[in-house]
Amino acid sequence: MADIRALQDQIIRDFQRLEDPFDQYTYLLALSARLPVMSEERRAALTPVAGCQSHVWLDVRREGELLVFDADSDTMLIRGILCLLQQVLSHQPPAEVAEAELDFPEKSGLLLSLSPDRRKGIGSVIETLRLSARQLGRAP
Amino acid sequence: MDISAVRAQFPILSRQIYGRPLVYLDNAATTQLPHPVWRAMERYYTQTHANVHRGAHYLSETATARLEEIRQSAAAFLGAESSDEILFTSGATEGINLLARAVEPLLTPGDRILVTAMEHHSNFLPWQELCRRAGCHFHVLPLTPAGEPNPEALHRLLALPGVRVLSVTAVSNVLGTQAPISDLARAAHAAGAWLFVDGAQGLRHGRLDMKELGCDAFAFSGHKMMAPTGTGALYVNAALLPRLSPTAFGGGMVDRVSREGSTYAGAPAGFEAGTPNIAGIVGLGAAIDYLTALDLGEIARREASLLARAETGLRALEGVTVYGEPKRRAGALSFNLEGVHPYDAAGLLDRLGIAVRSGHHCAQPLMEHLGVTGTLRVSPAFYNTEAEIDAFLAGVQKVREVTGLYHG
């Protein structure tokens, strides 16, 4: 398990290597293809993340000592960002997720062209993950 | 039209976005400002700025005179009979809200208000809310599969007792459908109703003449016609105007104020409480002069040709749905790529420097009619080029390819 800082630095480096802003988005599409699609039944059983213009579903749970989550969205670009969040935050100790300073969306340039609504949406996803991390951290 | 000379007046059009030339095709959302418009505002602020209709000093008198001149040129631009019929507003949204409040005392419970299913929320919600307040019935006129107001349904609804208002957009901000305003005006009047027009998208598609159109009121926004945001006007014809009640109260709109009761000025002053957006109105005046000098007919022909080029190109691409097939389309058209969320397509196009809009375009009832949650919308203006339309089409093709590669 790599630490959250190292994983973020890797993502930032990857995006900086992709100098062309269009290629960065194409890379998000490729990441989106790696994220499994949730079934309609599973989506229906989850509460969509509030404050997102696109639909975003998060299934956060504790497996042993670690926080684990699956995520899905109706848009490919958001799914790409969710895939990155999963790489960084899933299978990490809840306490570290709760305290993590997440700067890769900003530093990778990913947030640059998102509308304020979308940025707020990504912020809501991160907040939901942090909140779940705090709750799961307290659970026996 | 010398297109390079025109483009030279709009410096923003030559900037780069993400290292690529900007292709600005979101003119239905807002248009860019040419040199003469912002120079007029600069000149106003550096030479003439003072409050209007207030002090008896040189600057105030000059500013007031300029404001009233622009009211006259707006009246001429719209073919109004008198400049008193022009009320300055912050845009079409304020204009329609003002109108809905101003006719409220003329309605009685049980009256009916009709809008169409292709209205922007700005010409839907003020009437829905008015019906809720006044106890009136709110009807939404369905569309034909081509995306036009359904004439049979209109006939049926207008035959109901107590129809007082038919409020229609001149041009759909989503489909580009041009509504047959003069026909609708005749039908509404025959039923004893007023015909109000949301003119936000209706201004750059040929010369308008309120008398010929026969509408009772027409609201528009300056920022869809090369003027700054926060400007616009509501035209109300001289017959309806004296029956309207003021909707906002304060400075500049009174006749006499006393503790016992107050009386208000007639139009236009009675509907323009507070200090207006003077510099913005100066910009609006300059935009009217600019468009008139450029030739409204020529502008309309050029925009129609660019839009037709986009439509033909999109229809030739596989997996593209173009919405609606109205008899007359102007300004904008909506489409989707099969299996691609409009947000993704717009995001990818943006990274190619191409600005289009995605989402519900503040027209959720229309999205419901189309059976989609959102669309992509392309809306050229006269300053766009054929090469930009081709770049847009190539961009759409590229988006199809890359999304196809990774599609689940």
Side-chain angles (χ1 to χ4, degrees):
Chain A
M1 177 181 65
D3 81 15
I4 289 176
R5 182 69 263 155
L7 287 162
Q8 291 198 85
D9 288 343
Q10 184 58 50
I11 291 171
I12 294 164
R13 273 197 304 278
D14 287 348
F15 273 88
Q16 279 166 353
R17 259 199 295 273
L18 291 170
E19 282 173 12
D20 185 333
F22 185 77
D23 292 344
Q24 293 180 347
Y25 262 30
T26 312
Y27 181 50
L28 278 185
L29 299 182
L31 290 168
S32 160
R34 284 193 219 160
L35 193 73
V37 176
M38 286 183 185
S39 67
E40 284 301 326
E41 295 75 37
R42 191 162 172 213
R43 284 178 175 182
L46 296 167
T47 313
V49 178
C52 286
Q53 222 179 51
S54 322
H55 293 291
V56 173
W57 298 273
L58 283 179
D59 185 0
V60 193
R61 57 197 180 274
R62 188 176 170 137
E63 290 184 6
E65 293 303 305
L66 302 178
L67 173 146
V68 175
F69 72 89
D70 297 315
D72 197 2
S73 168
D74 56 348
T75 93
M76 292 170 84
L77 293 172
I78 299 296
R79 278 171 53 79
I81 296 175
L82 292 172
C83 180
L84 292 171
L85 281 171
Q86 198 184 41
Q87 283 174 18
V88 173
L89 296 178
S90 192
H91 295 91
Q92 297 286 359
E96 289 189 25
V97 173
E99 299 306 320
E101 196 197 318
L102 281 180
D103 56 9
F104 84 86
E106 201 68 53
K107 287 191 173 167
S108 60
L110 274 176
L111 289 189
L112 200 65
S113 68
L114 293 188
S115 65
D117 282 354
R118 302 285 175 179
R119 287 184 199 208
K120 229 172 82 192
I122 298 294
S124 304
V125 171
I126 292 170
E127 245 346 278
T128 306
L129 288 168
R130 286 208 174 108
L131 193 69
S132 306
R134 281 194 283 275
Q135 285 164 351
L136 292 170
R138 279 199 297 272
Chain B
M1 189 182 292
D2 177 352
I3 195 65
S4 359
V6 166
R7 286 176 71 85
Q9 300 267 33
F10 295 84
I12 200 170
L13 297 178
S14 45
R15 68 162 292 187
Q16 303 234 318
I17 303 287
Y18 299 121
R20 293 176 165 93
L22 166 68
V23 177
Y24 185 77
L25 293 171
D26 192 19
N27 294 287
T30 199
T31 53
Q32 303 297 347
L33 275 62
H35 279 156
V37 170
W38 44 269
R39 287 221 180 105
M41 291 190 287
E42 186 187 24
R43 226 170 18 248
Y44 166 77
Y45 269 132
T46 53
Q47 301 295 322
T48 318
H49 180 52
N51 210 336
V52 290
H53 303 303
R54 305 284 196 278
H57 60 78
Y58 181 84
L59 289 181
S60 175
E61 298 288 350
T62 313
T64 304
R66 182 73 194 112
L67 190 86
E68 293 310 317
E69 270 168 33
I70 294 166
R71 200 189 299 279
Q72 281 172 14
S73 65
F77 184 71
L78 294 177
E81 242 168 70
S82 143
S83 63
D84 288 349
E85 295 172 316
I86 303 294
L87 316 177
F88 287 123
T89 65
S90 65
T93 300
E94 191 195 11
I96 298 164
N97 276 280
L98 187 163
L99 187 62
R101 287 277 178 189
V103 297
E104 187 169 344
L106 303 175
L107 300 179
T108 47
D111 282 349
R112 297 173 197 277
I113 293 180
L114 272 55
V115 300
T116 79
M118 64 176 184
E119 299 310 316
H120 187 283
H121 295 165
S122 291
N123 192 35
F124 189 97
L125 297 172
W127 304 114
Q128 191 177 44
E129 283 298 310
L130 170 58
C131 286
R132 191 183 53 76
R133 292 195 303 270
C136 299
H137 302 291
F138 182 64
H139 297 273
V140 181
L141 182 63
L143 303 180
T144 64
E148 317 220 33
N150 185 315
E152 287 90 46
L154 176 68
H155 185 72
R156 214 170 38 248
L157 285 168
L158 284 177
L160 294 172
V163 178
R164 303 293 306 280
V165 173
L166 170 59
S167 193
V168 180
T169 185
V171 172
S172 157
N173 69 312
V174 175
L175 301 172
T177 305
Q178 276 188 283
I181 296 300
S182 30
D183 296 350
L184 294 174
R186 269 192 299 277
H189 293 158
W194 295 298
L195 190 268
F196 298 152
V197 178
D198 169 3
Q201 301 291 342
L203 289 163
R204 301 192 321 272
H205 317 303
R207 200 178 130 47
L208 288 166
D209 189 304
M210 294 299 125
K211 291 188 292 293
E212 268 173 38
L213 289 177
C215 57
D216 298 286
F218 182 100
F220 73 91
S221 297
H223 73 102
K224 315 274 196 198
M225 49 172 284
M226 287 69 204
T229 53
T231 64
L234 173 68
Y235 156 87
V236 182
N237 75 19
L240 176 59
L241 203 49
R243 301 180 62 197
L244 297 185
S245 304
T247 61
F249 301 87
M253 54 79 65
V254 300
D255 173 30
R256 188 171 176 280
V257 178
S258 74
R259 292 181 193 198
E260 291 70 37
S262 304
T263 52
Y264 305 113
F271 296 89
E272 293 177 358
T275 298
N277 176 6
I278 309 164
I281 293 169
V282 166
L284 177 63
I288 289 173
D289 294 345
Y290 174 82
L291 292 176
T292 309
L294 209 55
D295 189 330
L296 290 163
E298 178 70 16
I299 287 170
R301 276 190 295 281
R302 186 167 167 77
E303 294 194 354
S305 139
L306 292 168
L307 193 65
R309 190 182 185 94
E311 179 164 2
T312 308
L314 284 171
R315 288 195 189 275
L317 295 176
E318 233 175 278
V320 175
T321 305
V322 175
Y323 295 101
E325 212 163 345
K327 282 195 278 294
R328 294 184 306 157
R329 197 195 299 266
L333 86 87
S334 271
F335 64 102
N336 264 323
L337 309 185
E338 195 182 339
V340 184
H341 196 288
Y343 165 69
D344 287 335
L348 287 157
L349 285 170
D350 177 47
R351 295 241 159 175
L352 293 171
I354 300 165
V356 295
R357 187 146 290 237
S358 72
H360 55 62
H361 315 293
C362 298
Q364 287 177 1
L366 177 55
M367 295 297 119
E368 201 182 314
H369 165 81
L370 297 172
V372 295
T373 53
T375 69
L376 285 156
R377 180 184 72 187
V378 57
S379 52
F382 57 86
Y383 47 53
N384 289 120
T385 63
E386 285 75 9
E388 286 183 314
I389 298 295
D390 295 346
F392 154 74
L393 292 166
V396 171
Q397 180 60 17
K398 191 161 182 180
V399 168
R400 281 194 65 242
E401 284 162 19
V402 295
T403 49
L405 282 178
Y406 299 110
H407 214 269

